[in-house]
Amino acid sequence: STLSPSSAASDVYKRQIQKRHVMLVGSPGTGKSMLAKAMAELLPKEELEDILVYPNPQDPNQPKIRVVPAGKGREIVEAYKEEAMKKMQAKNFVLFTLVFLIVAYTILIDPKNFIWGIIAAVLMLMLARYFMPREEKNIPKLLVDNSGKETAPFEDATGAHAGALFGDVRHDPFQSGGLETPAHERVEAGAIHRAHKGVLYIDEINTLTIESQQKLLTALQDKKFPITGQSERSSGAMVRTEPVPCDFILVAAGNLDALLGMHPA
């Protein structure tokens, strides 16, 4: 059926208040994605939020999640970067002062030991680089950035695989030895998280695997979904974040046979 612009806007507003999801069934080219984009434009942008992921000192494989108003995420990350830079500069000053004193001391004792002083200083620098904690490891990562957005998010997840839809954790080839990348830095948001407070559009919904449909149903019900590595062979499979907010309106679309192969729920 065809709705007038005013009645369509009223219907979308009611669905937004009630958090009701929409299933659009129709032939290709009938404007299903256009309706979903229009719905996102009608949602209140004042409710948008940024999502940050933090390192967890107690359990590095379970990064912490924090939600702040839109635009505050960048400010928090920049503040952490400035603090980390100050600490790093202070440590480097102390370290190079010690190296200078070692070299100077060996020269004062016996100028012939100058080479050994240089070797000792280099070894000290290498050990300090290995054992001293890297300050950048404590900088949170801005997982979802909604700063400057004029409308609510609209995410088209049509044809997305599980990692792109539900988030993923990148593999780390250097998993130890001081070269590893912190778990929270490897976390990547999925379409369901980027659509937080907005609209998630999935065409050909029946082509999703049953497992993905079950996960999508869980995200709809709980309005939050943790991010973990999608590949069992990846180091990311060991990482599982705290639940990440994903309070979105789902606009599922499909052709006339869309109900075939769909999860009963």
Side-chain angles (χ1 to χ4, degrees):
S1 62
T2 303
L3 295 176
S4 64
S6 59
S7 60
S10 176
D11 182 63
V12 168
Y13 180 75
K14 290 178 181 178
R15 290 181 181 276
Q16 185 273 327
I17 295 297
Q18 299 167 356
K19 293 298 181 184
R20 293 166 60 191
H21 308 286
V22 184
M23 176 71 184
L24 301 177
V25 178
S27 302
T30 53
K32 298 187 291 291
S33 62
M34 181 184 66
L35 288 173
K37 289 181 181 179
M39 182 181 290
E41 293 176 359
L42 292 173
L43 294 176
K45 64 178 181 180
E46 293 78 15
E47 296 181 3
L48 297 185
E49 297 173 325
D50 291 342
I51 301 176
L52 296 156
V53 56
Y54 285 77
N56 186 349
Q58 284 72 37
D59 186 358
N61 287 326
Q62 190 179 27
K64 294 180 175 293
I65 298 296
R66 181 184 174 190
V67 180
V68 297
K72 293 293 183 182
R74 289 188 181 184
E75 296 178 7
I76 293 174
V77 172
E78 289 301 321
Y80 269 85
K81 286 182 178 180
E82 290 180 6
E83 185 66 23
M85 181 64 68
K86 291 178 181 178
K87 291 182 179 180
M88 186 172 63
Q89 290 175 347
K91 287 182 178 180
N92 288 340
F93 176 77
V94 173
L95 184 61
F96 282 106
T97 301
L98 289 175
V99 169
F100 175 78
L101 291 176
I102 290 174
V103 175
Y105 181 71
T106 55
I107 294 175
L108 288 174
I109 293 178
D110 189 351
K112 297 180 180 179
N113 293 332
F114 175 74
I115 299 298
W116 290 109
I118 295 295
I119 295 174
V122 171
L123 289 175
M124 183 176 179
L125 285 173
M126 293 176 62
L127 290 174
R129 182 178 179 83
Y130 184 82
F131 288 106
M132 289 177 67
R134 290 160 46 195
E135 295 298 332
E136 61 268 22
K137 285 187 175 182
N138 296 322
I139 299 176
K141 178 179 179 179
L142 186 54
L143 200 60
V144 176
D145 183 10
N146 282 316
S147 60
K149 285 193 175 181
E150 296 298 328
T151 61
F154 171 80
E155 287 293 325
D156 188 347
T158 302
H161 58 79
L165 185 57
F166 303 107
D168 204 348
V169 182
R170 289 182 283 108
H171 177 68
D172 181 15
F174 306 104
Q175 301 177 32
S176 60
L179 298 175
E180 68 276 6
T181 303
H184 76 285
E185 290 185 8
R186 294 185 283 120
V187 175
E188 301 292 344
I192 64 172
H193 307 109
R194 292 192 298 272
H196 181 55
K197 299 296 184 180
V199 173
L200 177 67
Y201 176 74
I202 305 179
D203 201 358
E204 304 294 345
I205 185 70
N206 56 318
T207 61
L208 284 179
T209 64
I210 292 297
E211 292 79 7
S212 292
Q213 292 185 41
Q214 289 174 335
K215 291 180 180 179
L216 187 59
L217 182 61
T218 300
L220 288 175
Q221 293 172 336
D222 296 344
K223 303 186 188 306
K224 53 187 178 181
F225 197 84
I227 299 176
T228 188
Q230 298 294 330
S231 174
E232 295 181 358
R233 298 183 179 182
S234 168
S235 61
M238 297 295 295
V239 179
R240 183 181 178 86
T241 70
E242 292 181 340
V244 183
C246 55
D247 185 9
F248 56 85
I249 294 178
L250 173 65
V251 178
N255 298 328
L256 300 179
D257 61 348
L259 298 181
L260 301 177
M262 283 188 62
H263 191 286

